[in-house]
Amino acid sequence: MEKILVTRSSMPPFEEYMEKVRPLWDSHWLTNMGANHNELEKQLKEFLKVDGISLMVNGHMALELIIHSFHFPKDSEVITTPFTFVSTTHAIVRNGLKPVFCDIKMEDGTIDETKIEGLITDRTVAIVPVHVYGNMCNVNAIEDIAKKHNLKVIYDAAHAFGINYKGKGIGSYGDASIFSFHATKVFNTIEGGAVTYNDPTLYEKLFYLRDFGIKDEESVVDIAPNAKMNEFAAAMGLCNLKHLDDALASRKKAYELYVETITATKGLRFLGAANSDNLNYSYMPVIVEDEYPLNRDELKNKFAESDVYVRKYFYPLTSNMECFNGEYKASSLDNAEYLSRRVLTLPLYEGMSDEGLERIMNILKNG
Ligand code: T4K
């Protein structure tokens, strides 16, 4: 029986990748904004329908650096969601800022925009919402709140590759957005990420920020890390982008089967919302409600008995993680607590076998 993990990296044909990296043996130019890097930046700018883009070594550094670029006063407050991968919260805390956790919406797991204003204080400088699982936040309401209170909005769009809204790329909403191109994502550069934005001055700023703040040989303008994407990673991105349509078509097939099974099964709820123009089939979250014969953890174990390894993305809430020593605890995260205790993320990737899908659907239907 084939072992099924929560996801499996999409990869281009081996020869195609080799063809793409072969010129590196002539140029010996392996990193620091090389030819593949620059070509990928150009292609992704078009694909993501954004005005500005800066590639990064990974999604996390993209978020850390774009937050850093605003140079907010230390200990300022940032309103965000705890229902996310820990990277979102780490990026705020590692910038010397304080995360203020806002509850999320039951229907799609995104930040509850109606609860944001109640958390704003005179120390609030920004909002960092997450398009979790590719479910789009209410970008219009968030923009209104940010304008009214003069706050920056930085979207964690790690899961939202290729999502559009009103004909624009999701990465063109807010002051900036970050994407992850990690091996587990719908589009991967092995490790990688990007910041997207409308303000053209951010391009130059991020150019230095991902390279130690170095402006030229004699001038270092900021205190920054190394977050550049290398040529082998960019080559993987160029190849994968060419095959993205096939990857999406394959994921769509599995995704639709899941939606059909989940909606037909008492006690299971699909945690997706199709309020954007399109879906990217990046994750398959399901909520295990009380009416289901098993609880979430029992269902996870049941899957494991059949060699299917589902994940609890995102449990625990980042607000409860021991590394923060309870420092950022929030009192009213009822929906976030509820969903994180009941969510399972089911296997979804390009090329899932019919046998594997059937095995998964049978477990879902019968518990
Ligand atoms: N913001 C949000 C909302 C995020 O979800 C993430 C990352 C970030 C920011 C930061 O972006 P990056 O800095 O990572 O670009 C994974 C990923 O490492 C992480 O990228 C992702 N979110 C998070 C949700 O999931 P793990 O620790 O659960 O991954 P791991 O190693 O258990 O892999 C999961 C499955 O993926 C494996 O069972 C098999 C498959 N896999 C994994 C790897 C590493 C592959 O098929 N190929 C691979 O190379 O964190």
Side-chain angles (χ1 to χ4, degrees):
M1 201 164 43
E2 170 206 11
K3 182 172 173 176
I4 301 177
L5 303 177
V6 70
T7 194
R8 191 182 72 176
S9 301
S10 284
M11 294 176 81
F14 179 72
E15 291 72 23
E16 210 175 300
Y17 182 70
M18 285 302 132
E19 229 16 72
K20 193 52 88 186
V21 296
R22 198 181 303 278
L24 300 176
W25 269 259
D26 296 325
S27 70
H28 291 255
W29 191 274
L30 304 185
T31 185
N32 289 18
M33 285 64 97
N36 289 338
H37 171 282
N38 296 341
E39 179 59 26
L40 183 64
E41 210 164 64
K42 197 172 121 216
Q43 289 190 19
L44 284 177
K45 181 173 161 178
E46 203 168 301
F47 181 84
L48 293 172
K49 298 195 178 102
V50 290
D51 287 347
I53 183 165
S54 302
L55 298 186
M56 297 284 162
V57 67
N58 56 48
H60 178 80
M61 288 313 296
L63 188 55
E64 254 194 60
L65 286 180
I66 187 63
I67 295 174
H68 173 102
S69 77
F70 292 110
H71 291 285
F72 298 122
K74 284 272 167 274
D75 296 324
S76 297
E77 294 174 4
V78 175
I79 297 172
T80 188
T81 161
F83 188 64
T84 181
F85 190 54
V86 69
S87 166
T88 319
T89 310
H90 276 348
I92 296 167
V93 174
R94 285 171 53 81
N95 267 292
L97 305 169
K98 182 181 169 201
V100 174
F101 292 110
C102 183
D103 207 0
I104 57 174
K105 290 179 292 195
M106 281 295 238
E107 64 269 24
D108 63 6
T110 64
I111 196 164
D112 185 343
E113 63 278 0
T114 65
K115 294 184 179 151
I116 293 176
E117 278 196 289
L119 298 171
I120 295 174
T121 70
D122 55 5
R123 302 180 73 82
T124 310
V125 289
I127 310 171
V128 176
V130 179
H131 300 303
V132 67
Y133 313 123
N135 294 346
M136 193 187 76
C137 299
N138 187 336
V139 292
N140 297 319
I142 293 170
E143 184 179 332
D144 290 347
I145 295 165
K147 271 201 182 127
K148 187 170 153 197
H149 296 275
N150 195 24
L151 306 175
K152 295 286 181 206
V153 181
I154 301 160
Y155 284 105
D156 182 335
H159 303 171
F161 186 82
I163 297 281
N164 298 312
Y165 177 58
K166 292 191 176 165
K168 293 199 315 185
I170 193 81
S172 52
Y173 291 87
D175 293 279
S177 300
I178 71 95
F179 292 87
S180 165
F181 310 145
H182 183 260
T184 55
K185 296 297 188 287
V186 72
F187 163 76
N188 85 77
T189 60
I190 309 171
E191 291 269 6
V195 185
T196 61
Y197 41 81
N198 300 320
D199 174 2
T201 66
L202 278 175
Y203 184 76
E204 202 187 17
K205 226 184 221 181
L206 289 165
F207 201 91
Y208 310 143
L209 278 184
R210 67 189 165 192
D211 190 18
F212 307 100
I214 297 172
K215 188 169 181 185
D216 59 45
E217 264 184 287
E218 298 188 3
S219 169
V220 179
V221 294
D222 207 333
I223 305 166
N226 176 2
K228 301 178 298 280
M229 180 184 285
N230 73 60
E231 286 295 279
F232 288 84
M236 185 62 113
L238 286 168
C239 294
N240 276 337
L241 199 55
K242 257 177 71 184
H243 296 280
L244 188 71
D245 284 348
D246 293 340
L248 290 180
S250 171
R251 283 171 170 264
K252 181 172 190 260
K253 209 176 112 209
Y255 185 93
E256 286 175 348
L257 195 56
Y258 272 124
V259 174
E260 194 186 306
T261 306
I262 291 168
T263 45
T265 305
K266 197 162 174 253
L268 293 183
R269 181 162 71 83
F270 168 60
L271 188 67
N275 51 357
S276 52
D277 298 348
N278 58 326
L279 300 173
N280 68 359
Y281 315 107
S282 55
Y283 285 88
M284 179 43 65
V286 64
I287 302 300
V288 184
E289 305 280 15
D290 287 343
E291 303 79 49
Y292 195 72
L294 304 176
N295 68 30
R296 185 269 305 268
D297 289 354
E298 286 166 347
L299 178 57
K300 182 171 187 281
N301 293 339
K302 187 93 191 173
F303 273 120
E305 284 166 19
S306 298
D307 245 356
V308 177
Y309 299 93
V310 304
R311 296 294 286 267
K312 299 191 225 178
Y313 298 137
F314 290 101
Y315 175 87
L317 296 177
T318 66
S319 49
N320 292 335
M321 287 180 175
E322 68 264 34
C323 57
F324 302 122
N325 297 315
E327 212 177 316
Y328 311 117
K329 277 237 173 282
S331 52
S332 52
L333 298 174
D334 296 346
N335 293 348
E337 292 284 358
Y338 183 93
L339 291 181
S340 79
R341 285 179 194 287
R342 283 156 195 274
V343 72
L344 278 184
T345 313
L346 305 173
L348 183 61
Y349 49 87
E350 180 184 6
M352 290 184 78
S353 69
D354 290 343
E355 180 281 323
L357 282 168
E358 199 181 320
R359 198 176 347 141
I360 296 170
M361 299 309 147
N362 280 336
I363 296 169
L364 280 175
K365 279 179 201 156
N366 303 313

